[in-house]
Amino acid sequence: MGYFSNGSEGMDYEDRFCSRCVHRGNDENGGCAVWLTHLLYSYEECNSKSNAKHMLDLLIPPAKNGLSNDQCAMFHFDPKSPDPNQTEMF
């Protein structure tokens, strides 16, 4: 499940995956359903054994080391996204 220990960790994940995904949301389409679902429910479900937690784990699986999160199952690289190796903002 995409549980992030703080805002910086969540922002890093968004930068590495969400910002480069064809499914990334914007204000017009309401945003990414996977990201929104994790924002709304991961805190409540993090220590649960519910079906909801299992579904969240399928969407953003925990890394094998148990310390981070693996790539979102819905991630599909958007070739129009910014180059991940770009070092300058503008």
Side-chain angles (χ1 to χ4, degrees):
M1 167 172 57
Y3 183 80
F4 306 98
S5 61
N6 57 51
S8 296
E9 189 179 351
M11 288 171 52
D12 178 58
Y13 188 89
E14 273 189 292
D15 189 48
R16 286 187 299 136
F17 297 110
C18 305
S19 69
R20 301 178 318 134
C21 181
V22 296
H23 303 295
R24 72 179 165 271
N26 56 43
D27 291 336
E28 290 138 21
N29 69 11
C32 173
V34 172
W35 186 249
L36 179 60
T37 302
H38 277 79
L39 289 177
L40 293 174
Y41 300 107
S42 65
Y43 182 78
E44 295 172 2
E45 299 296 332
C46 69
N47 295 315
S48 158
K49 295 191 185 301
S50 70
N51 287 335
K53 181 182 184 316
H54 293 294
M55 288 185 278
L56 292 171
D57 284 343
L58 289 172
L59 293 170
I60 299 180
K64 293 188 191 314
N65 66 13
L67 301 175
S68 60
N69 301 286
D70 280 341
Q71 177 179 296
C72 175
M74 301 302 292
F75 177 77
H76 184 76
F77 178 72
D78 181 355
K80 293 183 257 173
S81 69
D83 181 353
N85 298 315
Q86 178 181 353
T87 56
E88 296 178 19
M89 291 296 285
F90 299 98

